[in-house]
């Protein structure tokens, strides 16, 4: 297949056969799914918000159409995004396909779409908790990691500074007395760029130390400040020459100290600097620093941070009004959040972009930093005030600490608690955890009180077979608009995958609460995802950000087994079928969030479905087909709502209940006008057959048995857009690829209608979904084993979504070998076949040896004479029949008689053994004491019946031949002793 052109003004498809062009086209398509947040900052969002709100269309709406969106976005963001990437972004945001994007849609997408979730495969290992004693005498105020030195640094309240190795071995201690200061440290911070330690103290001083020299020294003393400083943050580069530091105080001020490099190197602490000196205009030239402050809060500023990604500082206070403020250093404009009881801590996640806050109300809130009107999510679970928050950026985990020493790990996207860390033994009041620090480099959580404590990340080892989902996969569908794969699992998780690499781009959880996803499909535009659940509820989603768009409720709570999006003229419908044996039709009306069916089709009497509906298909202009598990196909007119006819195979009544179900039906695309008169429909059945139907005449045109192994039924199928390829998945994991020629149904060339091209085993369990990506010419298979696997059309394995290393579709060197579970099954099957061959060879050898033994016993003289006639070279005849023919008086009739006698003798022997075992077992019975003497405590539970003496059963020679062969299938002939003439007389004449 040739790659198609991208949306908009994308490049045209490369010519067929041009390999280099095809690779380039694939790479371009993969590059269209780009994370736009990496090119945007706070100023960009503010500009876009103003442009969105100031724009007004002729009809009074404020949304941008696709041309205006590309124009505005290109001006604001610049040349970072291509034309195709902006087109792709517009399509993702405009999920309802109304051709317009407003500010609410844009900001909501940027918030929810950015919250990429990683499955909880990295949590803290409680078994390897370590506690380290320290020289600190008071609580630790700050813990940090210095990448250049590969060391941890901790600063405590009394001013002691400690350096620790990566394994938390103490390396150096700098006591507070070395600095000749006796005040309490409120906060501290190590500047990696300048190799300086900064502290703020309760005597209203700001101090800078050189602690990396042999003899630590005080460099700068800045005070007396008007209010007590409480928190400290490094802002980074203010411009090419200056850096700046922020600190909040108990007067509600955010203080800003900007300085040059000379400020930290040329001052020797001889002169104490004051706010008055550094507040003057010439202070930057004279002292290499300047000082300013802004009144932000009415209460204590307990935390402040500056984030260059949004070009703003954030501060919080324990007050209900203006609990958190986002401000700009250069402008006076601020935005704020009001939270009951205030906010005590916060943290900002850079990618994805969201803000996490916690306070005395014990609730963690997630905020969209661009829309602060209400929180985007809340986390409940703490029993005490939340005092500290940290974030594992790699995994998207929120780590929160409460006053009762309880640490919780949360999943930012699913809003679920992944782990709770709590002390099992109550601690003293003065041993409260004062600070937490998550070390992203070494993958561990470091806690500080007056000691240090570590909780390392527990990395789960990857299985031999990677898993795409933690539950069975319902469906995996390729989206041609975004060149992505969308999959849904039974646990309610929906994942979006990049087909070009196999990496997960996005996911959201609990799509239907605690219920399973049972059906999935795209709308006609491919921008919206429709899911059905166990309770029959149908939902519509923007799968690019996990936003629910619509909710549709049937008139009952029966499971929806399949959903289908239908366009009939100007009308658009969602069709749902399931266990209620009805066809529920919903109107696609974006103006209403919740909807009820506008029509319910259900045939009365014996003509309609009498069992659960399993599949539905649509053929323009108005034909709808439904299939049920009792093997019946019903053809409907969607326009009138009436049933037109029913289809069933001729021998349906003779089949078992397990063979009747129809698993999937599809109308076959065709451009032949003659075929449109037939309305060709193909169905796959649990008995392993494909059947082709004429939906106008109501007849079966062709039937084909597709079983590649015993007792495997067909579970699902998919067809290419041109109808040339049919991919079928089986109940035992096999995939079959057929070439289809529907025109041969008219010419009656039935042998060429459906020809198997390739087949292979893709999974060990039943395949729940197959899909064909026309653009890339690859096949997707999903199974109940929780994996989604990618194959070439010829059966070469490419990889599994979710594996540790990505693939490149244009580079076969990056493809994986066949999955380990499939390889193991193939090895076991080969060993089984080898054992069966050996078993059959042994059986044959036993029969032949038995014939020879009986022949020699019956005619010993002839056998001896025949041995005397053996050639001089000593070679015996290899053919047993030749041995018999060489014996005088031995004919072929005699040989057949000996064969029957040998079989009868062996079979009777086996039956005697079985009878003996059964008779011996029946001699044991339950003691009467257990049923009659309830009060008797005698430990007698079983007794052997001795009334009837066991008799050896008689041997019968008249045995049916079919019984003999049946027994030989289970009891192979062993080497038996040759019967003596006396034994032969006792056993009777077998003739």
């Amino acid at each position: 297949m040739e790659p198609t052109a991208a949306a908009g003004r994308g490049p045209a498809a490369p010519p067929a056969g041009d390999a280099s062009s095809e690779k380039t086209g694939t790479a371009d398509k993969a590059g269209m799914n780009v994370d736009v947040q990496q090119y945007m900052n706070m100023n960009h969002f503010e500009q876009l918000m103003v442009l969105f709100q100031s724009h007004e269309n002729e009809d009074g709406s404020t949304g941008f159409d696709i041309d205006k969106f590309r124009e505005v976005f290109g001006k604001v963001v610049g040349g970072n995004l291509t034309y195709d990437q902006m087109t792709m972004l517009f399509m993702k945001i405009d999920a309802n396909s109304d051709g317009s994007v407003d500010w609410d849609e844009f900001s909501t997408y940027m918030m929810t779409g950015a919250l990429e979730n990683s499955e909880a495969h990295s949590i803290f290992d409680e078994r390897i908790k370590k506690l380290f004693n320290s020289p600190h005498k008071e609580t630790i105020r700050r813990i940090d990691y210095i990448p250049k030195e590969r060391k941890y640094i901790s600063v405590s309240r009394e001013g002691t500074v400690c350096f620790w190795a990566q394994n938390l071995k103490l390396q150096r201690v700098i006591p507070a007395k070395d600095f000749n200061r006796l005040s309490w440290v409120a906060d501290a911070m190590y500047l990696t760029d300048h190799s300086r330690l900064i502290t703020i103290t309760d005597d209203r001083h700001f101090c800078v130390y050189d602690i990396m020299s042999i003899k630590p020294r005080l460099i700068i003393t800045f005070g007396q400040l008007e209010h007590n400083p409480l928190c400290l943050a490094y802002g980074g580069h203010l411009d090419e020459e200056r850096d700046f530091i922020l600190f909040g105080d108990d007067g509600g001020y955010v203080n800003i100290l900007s300085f040059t490099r000379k400020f930290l190197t040329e001052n020797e602490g001889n002169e104490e600097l004051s706010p008055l000196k550094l507040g003057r205009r010439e202070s930057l030239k004279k002292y290499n620093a300047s000082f300013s402050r802004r009144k932000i809060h009415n209460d204590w500023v307990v935390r402040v941070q500056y984030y260059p990604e949004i070009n703003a500082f954030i501060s919080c206070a324990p007050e209900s009004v203006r609990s958190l403020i986002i401000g700009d250093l250069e402008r006076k404009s601020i935005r704020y959040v009001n939270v009951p009881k205030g906010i005590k801590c916060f943290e900002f996640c850079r990618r994805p972009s969201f803000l996490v806050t916690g306070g005395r109300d014990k609730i963690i809130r997630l905020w969209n930093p661009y829309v602060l009107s209400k929180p985007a999510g809340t986390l409940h679970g703490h029993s005490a005030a939340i005092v500290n928050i940290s974030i594992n950026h790699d995994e998207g985990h929120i780590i929160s600490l409460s006053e009762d020493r309880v640490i919780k790990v949360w999943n930012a996207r699913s809003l679920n608690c992944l782990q709770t860390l709590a002390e099992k033994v109550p601690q003293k009041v003065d041993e409260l955890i004062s600070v937490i620090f998550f070390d992203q480099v070494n993958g561990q959580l470091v806690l500080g009180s007056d000691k240090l404590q570590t909780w390392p990340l527990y990395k789960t080892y990857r299985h031999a077979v990677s898993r795409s989902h933690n539950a069975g996969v319902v469906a995996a569908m390729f989206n041609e608009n975004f060149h992505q794969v969308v999959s849904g699992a039974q646990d309610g998780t929906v994942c979006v995958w990049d087909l070009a690499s196999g990496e997960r781009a996005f996911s959201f959880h609990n799509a239907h609460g605690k219920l399973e996803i049972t059906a999935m499909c795209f709308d006609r535009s491919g921008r919206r995802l429709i899911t059905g659940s166990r309770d029959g509820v149908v939902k519509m989603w923007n799968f690019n950000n996990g936003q629910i768009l619509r909710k549709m409720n049937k008139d009952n709570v029966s499971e929806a087994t399949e959903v289908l999006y239908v366009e009939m003229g100007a009308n658009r419908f969602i069709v749902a079928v399931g266990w209620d044996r009805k066809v529920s039709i919903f109107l696609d009306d974006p103006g209403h969030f919740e909807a009820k069916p506008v029509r319910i089709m259900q045939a009365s009497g014996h003509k309609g479905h009498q069992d659960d509906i399993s599949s539905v298909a649509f053929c323009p202009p108005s034909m709808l087909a439904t299939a049920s598990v009792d093997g019946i196909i019903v053809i409907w007119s969607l326009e009138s709502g009436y049933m037109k006819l029913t289809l069933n195979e001729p021998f349906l009544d003779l089949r078992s209940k397990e063979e009747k179900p129809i698993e999937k039906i599809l109308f076959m695309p065709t451009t032949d006008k003659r075929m449109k008169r037939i309305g060709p429909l193909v169905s796959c059945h649990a008995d392993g057959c494909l059947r082709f139907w004429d939906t106008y005449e109501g007849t079966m045109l062709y039937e084909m048995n597709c079983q590649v192994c015993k007792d495997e039924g067909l579970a699902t199928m998919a067809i290419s857009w041109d109808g040339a390829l049919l991919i079928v998945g089986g109940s035992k994991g096999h995939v079959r690829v057929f070439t289809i020629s529907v025109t041969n149904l008219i010419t009656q060339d039935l042998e060429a209608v459906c020809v198997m091209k390739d087949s292979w085993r893709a999974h060990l369990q039943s395949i729940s979904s197959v899909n064909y990506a026309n653009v890339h010419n690859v096949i997707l298979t999903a199974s109940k084993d929780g994996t989604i696997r990618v194959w070439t059309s010829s059966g070469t394995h490419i990889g599994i979504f979710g594996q540790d290393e990505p693939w490149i579709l244009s580079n076969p060197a990056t493809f994986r070998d066949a999955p380990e579970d499939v390889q193991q099954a193939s090895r076991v099957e080969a060993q089984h076949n080898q054992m069966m061959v050996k078993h059959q060879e042994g059986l044959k050898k036993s029969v032949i040896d038995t014939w020879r033994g009986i022949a020699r016993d019956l005619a010993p003289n002839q056998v001896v004479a025949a041995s005397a006639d053996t050639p001089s070279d000593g070679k015996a005849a290899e053919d047993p029949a030749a041995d018999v023919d060489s014996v005088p008086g031995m004919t072929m009739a005699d040989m057949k008689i000996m064969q029957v006698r040998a079989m009868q003798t062996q079979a009777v022997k086996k039956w005697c053994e079985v009878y003996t075992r059964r008779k011996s077992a029946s001699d044991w019975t339950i003691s009467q004491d257990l049923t009659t003497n309830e009060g008797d405590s005698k430990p007698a539970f079983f007794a052997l019946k001795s009334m009837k003496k066991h008799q050896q059963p008689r041997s019968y020679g008249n045995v049916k031949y079919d019984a003999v062969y049946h027994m030989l299938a289970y009891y192979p002939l062993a080497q038996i002793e040759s019967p003596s003439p006396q034994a032969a007389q006792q056993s009777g004449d077998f003739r």
Side-chain angles (χ1 to χ4, degrees):
M1 297 295 298
E2 295 179 13
T4 58
R9 296 181 303 190
D18 189 348
S20 60
S21 299
E22 189 171 337
K23 293 179 181 180
T24 305
T26 303
D28 291 341
K29 293 177 179 64
M32 287 194 291
N33 292 293
V34 65
D35 183 6
V36 69
Q37 291 202 37
Q38 61 183 317
Y39 302 118
M40 300 185 67
N41 56 31
M42 191 68 170
N43 291 331
H44 292 150
F45 280 96
E46 291 179 352
Q47 295 177 41
L48 288 171
M49 180 175 65
V50 173
L51 293 172
F52 267 109
Q53 295 175 350
S54 61
H55 176 75
E56 185 174 350
N57 298 316
E58 295 179 356
D59 57 356
S61 62
T62 59
F64 292 156
D65 59 16
I66 187 168
D67 294 327
K68 186 66 176 178
F69 180 84
R70 284 192 291 245
E71 176 188 348
V72 172
F73 213 84
K75 290 180 180 179
V76 174
V77 182
N80 292 321
L81 296 179
T82 65
Y83 185 93
D84 289 332
Q85 288 172 343
M86 287 188 289
T87 302
M88 188 73 68
L89 179 63
F90 180 88
M91 293 171 61
K92 289 183 177 181
I93 301 174
D94 182 31
N96 57 4
S97 302
D98 61 357
S100 176
V101 169
D102 57 21
W103 171 247
D104 290 337
E105 288 178 319
F106 177 76
S107 59
T108 302
Y109 170 80
M110 297 304 293
M111 171 61 186
T112 57
L115 287 172
E116 292 185 17
N117 172 51
S118 178
E119 296 294 335
H121 56 75
S122 295
I123 55 177
F124 298 104
D125 192 350
E126 302 182 54
R127 302 169 301 175
I128 317 179
K129 180 184 71 173
K130 296 181 180 179
L131 184 65
F132 302 89
N133 292 321
S134 74
H136 295 296
K137 298 178 181 179
E138 297 291 336
T139 56
I140 297 174
R141 291 298 188 185
R142 178 66 71 107
I143 300 173
D144 208 342
Y145 181 73
I146 309 174
K148 291 182 179 180
E149 303 290 334
R150 296 184 180 179
K151 297 177 182 179
Y152 292 97
I153 182 173
S154 60
V155 183
S156 58
R157 189 183 178 195
E158 81 277 6
T160 302
V161 180
C162 295
F163 288 96
W164 311 78
Q166 287 184 324
N167 59 357
L168 272 297
K169 181 180 180 181
L170 185 62
Q171 291 185 333
R172 186 184 181 190
V173 180
I174 304 176
K177 63 181 181 179
D178 290 2
F179 302 125
N180 297 321
R181 298 193 61 84
L182 301 177
S183 54
W184 296 113
V185 174
D187 198 1
M189 178 179 57
Y190 182 79
L191 302 183
T192 304
D193 295 341
H194 305 280
S195 300
R196 295 290 186 266
L197 176 69
I198 299 175
T199 64
I200 50 177
T201 57
D202 63 350
D203 62 353
R204 302 181 182 179
H205 277 79
F206 176 101
C207 302
V208 182
Y209 301 93
D210 179 10
I211 58 175
M212 288 300 179
S213 59
I214 297 176
K215 185 177 181 180
R217 57 195 177 94
L218 175 66
I219 297 178
I220 299 169
T221 304
F222 175 48
Q224 180 86 11
L225 301 174
E226 184 178 351
H227 299 92
N228 282 325
L230 301 176
C231 53
L232 193 62
Y234 176 58
H237 301 295
L238 186 62
D239 52 36
E240 294 181 357
E241 297 181 354
R242 293 181 299 164
D243 293 355
F244 68 98
I245 294 173
L246 303 173
F247 58 93
D249 57 34
D250 58 4
Y253 287 89
V254 172
N255 303 270
I256 306 171
L257 178 66
S258 60
F259 57 90
T260 63
R261 183 170 292 273
K262 294 181 180 180
F263 178 72
L264 301 177
T265 57
E266 296 183 358
N267 292 287
E268 293 297 334
N270 298 325
E271 181 182 2
E272 181 172 318
L273 302 176
S274 65
L276 182 61
K277 292 180 180 180
L278 298 185
R280 298 170 182 170
R281 292 183 178 180
E282 67 275 7
S283 63
L284 188 61
K285 295 181 179 180
K286 186 175 181 179
Y287 301 105
N288 299 310
S290 63
F291 174 75
S292 62
R293 62 177 185 164
R294 291 173 60 179
K295 177 71 173 178
I296 299 294
H297 298 276
N298 296 321
D299 206 334
W300 293 7
V301 181
V302 294
R303 180 167 172 79
V304 64
Q305 283 290 333
Y306 176 80
Y307 298 103
E309 292 80 7
I310 61 174
N311 191 26
F313 69 86
I314 301 177
S315 62
C316 67
E319 57 181 343
S320 300
V321 181
R322 290 192 172 189
S323 307
L324 181 137
I325 286 180
I326 301 178
D328 196 327
L329 294 176
E330 299 176 357
R331 292 175 289 179
K332 298 297 182 181
S333 62
I334 59 174
R335 295 178 297 122
Y336 57 87
V337 169
N338 299 329
V339 174
K341 300 183 181 181
I343 294 175
K344 300 191 69 173
C345 56
F346 66 85
E347 191 59 66
F348 184 80
C349 184
R350 293 170 173 82
R351 286 192 63 208
S353 178
F354 65 94
L355 188 65
V356 185
T357 63
R360 288 183 292 176
D361 62 353
K362 311 168 190 175
I363 301 175
I364 297 175
R365 293 175 173 86
L366 277 68
W367 302 86
N368 182 341
Y370 320 114
V371 180
L372 298 177
S373 57
K374 62 179 181 180
T378 56
L379 305 175
H380 301 262
H382 278 290
S383 302
I386 301 166
V387 295
N388 213 325
I389 290 175
S390 185
I391 290 183
N392 179 352
H393 296 275
D394 291 342
E395 303 295 339
H397 294 170
I398 300 170
I399 306 166
S400 58
L401 169 68
S402 56
E403 287 182 343
D404 55 358
R405 297 176 59 95
V406 174
I407 298 173
K408 288 184 176 290
V409 184
W410 311 82
N411 188 308
R413 182 61 186 87
S414 64
L415 305 183
N416 292 329
C417 182
L418 303 177
Q419 188 178 22
T420 299
L421 304 173
E423 297 289 348
K424 296 180 177 153
V425 180
Q427 302 293 323
K428 298 179 182 179
V429 178
D430 58 349
E431 291 184 355
L432 295 178
I433 300 174
S434 56
V435 62
I436 62 174
F437 170 71
F438 179 73
D439 180 12
Q440 203 82 42
V441 177
N442 298 305
Q444 63 181 350
L445 182 67
V446 184
L447 316 179
S449 51
D450 58 344
K451 304 177 180 64
L452 290 183
Q453 187 175 340
T454 61
W455 301 79
L457 279 178
Y458 176 75
K459 299 289 186 180
T460 57
Y461 295 98
R462 297 184 180 269
H463 300 286
V465 177
S466 303
R467 288 176 63 88
S468 308
H469 287 270
N470 291 330
V473 182
V474 176
M477 306 176 298
F478 175 68
N479 189 292
E480 293 188 358
N481 287 336
F482 304 113
H483 301 277
Q484 294 175 325
V485 175
V486 181
S487 62
Q490 292 176 345
D491 60 357
T493 301
V494 176
C495 291
V496 182
W497 308 89
D498 184 8
L499 181 58
S501 63
E503 296 177 328
R504 184 173 54 194
F506 177 74
S507 64
F508 59 95
H509 300 264
N510 302 322
H512 291 268
K514 296 182 180 180
L515 298 178
E516 302 175 9
I517 294 177
T518 56
M520 293 175 59
C521 74
F522 290 124
D523 70 339
R524 187 73 172 178
S525 66
R527 302 185 192 179
R528 295 175 293 175
L529 176 70
I530 302 167
T531 60
S533 70
R534 181 73 71 183
D535 60 353
V537 175
V538 180
K539 294 183 180 181
M540 183 177 287
W541 307 84
N542 181 351
F543 61 86
N544 285 293
N545 64 355
Q547 179 187 5
I548 183 171
L549 303 175
R550 295 195 65 202
K551 181 179 180 181
M552 291 154 277
N553 300 304
K554 297 197 300 181
D555 61 347
N556 56 75
V557 292
S558 299
E559 176 181 326
T561 56
E562 190 164 8
V563 290
L564 181 68
Y565 191 86
V566 172
E567 283 190 1
M568 189 175 66
N571 298 318
R572 301 176 179 180
F573 302 104
I574 296 97
V575 180
V577 297
W579 289 359
D580 56 357
R581 306 173 186 179
K582 303 176 182 178
V583 181
S584 301
I585 302 174
F586 302 89
L587 182 64
D588 183 14
D589 182 11
H592 297 82
F593 177 75
E594 291 201 16
K596 293 286 186 179
V598 295
R599 175 181 290 176
I600 298 177
M601 299 192 303
Q602 182 182 18
S604 59
H606 65 280
K607 294 183 179 180
H609 287 295
Q610 304 299 317
D611 212 329
D612 302 339
I613 301 177
S614 56
S615 184
V616 60
F618 177 74
C619 179
S622 62
M623 182 182 292
L624 191 75
T626 56
S628 57
V629 296
D630 58 357
I632 301 296
I633 298 175
V634 178
I635 306 299
W636 310 79
S637 171
L638 188 58
E639 186 175 7
S640 64
Y642 289 105
M643 185 183 71
K644 300 174 69 174
L645 53 89
T646 60
L647 306 172
N648 62 279
E649 60 156 322
F651 302 103
L652 180 63
D653 295 336
L654 302 178
R655 298 192 181 277
S656 64
K657 184 178 180 180
E658 291 76 17
E659 294 178 330
K660 287 183 178 182
I662 301 175
E663 302 295 347
K664 186 75 173 179
I665 56 174
L666 292 172
F667 280 101
M668 304 185 65
T670 179
T671 57
D672 193 331
K673 294 182 179 180
R674 297 175 300 171
M675 295 306 300
K676 289 183 178 180
R677 299 172 187 171
I678 297 178
L681 179 76
V682 60
S683 59
C684 65
H685 298 247
D687 62 357
C689 290
L690 283 175
R691 295 182 173 92
F692 297 82
W693 308 85
D694 182 343
T695 55
Y696 284 91
E697 297 294 335
T699 59
M700 187 175 71
L701 301 173
Y702 179 61
E703 180 183 42
M704 179 180 181
N705 191 334
C706 303
Q707 287 185 337
V708 295
C709 67
K710 186 179 180 181
D711 298 332
E712 182 180 25
L714 304 185
T716 184
M717 63 180 174
I719 197 166
S720 61
W721 66 272
D722 58 355
L725 286 180
L726 181 68
I727 301 98
V728 180
S731 60
K732 292 188 177 181
H734 290 88
V735 174
R736 308 148 182 86
V737 179
F738 297 92
T739 56
I740 302 295
S741 177
V742 292
T743 56
N744 290 318
L745 292 174
I746 296 179
T747 60
Q748 296 297 314
D749 186 8
L750 300 181
E751 295 295 331
V753 171
C754 186
V755 179
M756 185 180 293
K757 180 182 176 183
D758 290 293
S759 68
W760 66 91
R761 189 165 194 180
H763 301 266
L764 297 189
Q765 299 185 34
S766 177
I767 296 178
S768 56
S769 169
V770 293
N771 204 260
Y772 180 66
N774 298 277
V775 178
H776 303 280
N777 194 24
V778 298
I779 296 173
L780 310 173
T781 62
S783 172
K784 295 179 180 179
D785 59 10
T787 65
I788 307 166
R789 301 175 181 181
V790 186
W791 313 80
T792 65
S793 58
S794 60
T796 302
H797 183 239
I798 295 176
I800 301 175
F801 284 117
Q803 67 184 32
D804 50 354
E805 296 180 0
W807 63 72
I808 302 174
L809 285 180
S810 58
N811 184 9
T814 62
F815 295 175
R816 286 285 185 92
D817 294 334
E820 181 61 30
D821 56 346
V822 175
Q823 293 187 33
Q824 179 66 21
S826 299
R827 289 192 291 266
V828 172
E829 185 176 359
Q831 293 175 0
H832 178 266
N833 293 336
Q834 187 177 4
M835 292 176 60
M836 291 299 296
V837 171
K838 290 183 178 180
H839 172 73
Q840 294 174 0
E841 291 178 351
L843 177 63
K844 179 180 179 181
K845 183 177 182 299
S846 298
V847 172
I848 293 174
D849 291 344
T850 304
W851 295 348
R852 290 174 175 172
I854 294 178
R856 291 188 177 93
D857 286 338
L858 293 179
N861 297 328
Q862 291 87 341
V863 172
V864 172
S867 300
D869 296 335
T870 302
S872 59
D873 56 1
K875 294 182 180 180
E878 296 181 0
D879 188 2
D883 287 345
V884 175
D885 291 339
S886 63
V887 178
M890 180 67 69
T891 63
M892 290 301 298
D894 296 331
M895 183 187 71
K896 292 180 180 179
I897 293 174
M898 288 189 295
Q899 176 184 357
V900 173
R901 289 178 177 177
M903 289 182 172
Q904 291 174 339
T905 303
Q906 185 69 1
V908 170
K909 179 181 178 182
K910 290 294 182 182
W911 288 342
C912 290
E913 293 176 356
V914 172
Y915 181 84
T916 303
R917 287 196 298 269
R918 288 181 179 177
K919 190 63 179 68
S920 298
S922 65
D923 285 341
W924 293 89
T925 183
I926 300 178
S927 173
Q928 295 295 327
D929 297 338
L930 295 177
T931 57
T932 56
N933 300 329
E934 297 181 356
D936 194 356
S937 59
K938 183 174 65 174
F941 300 107
F942 297 95
L944 177 64
K945 293 191 300 183
S946 58
M947 297 81 70
K948 188 175 180 181
K949 187 176 180 181
H950 177 65
Q951 300 278 343
Q952 186 74 16
R954 291 180 57 189
S955 298
Y956 296 94
N958 298 324
V959 183
K960 293 183 179 180
Y961 291 89
D962 57 348
V964 172
Y965 285 100
H966 176 73
M967 293 299 296
L968 287 175
Y970 292 92
Y971 300 105
L973 289 175
Q975 183 69 34
I976 60 174
E977 296 180 0
S978 301
S980 60
Q982 294 81 4
Q985 293 177 1
Q986 293 178 0
S987 61
D989 188 2
F990 283 6
R991 302 185 186 183

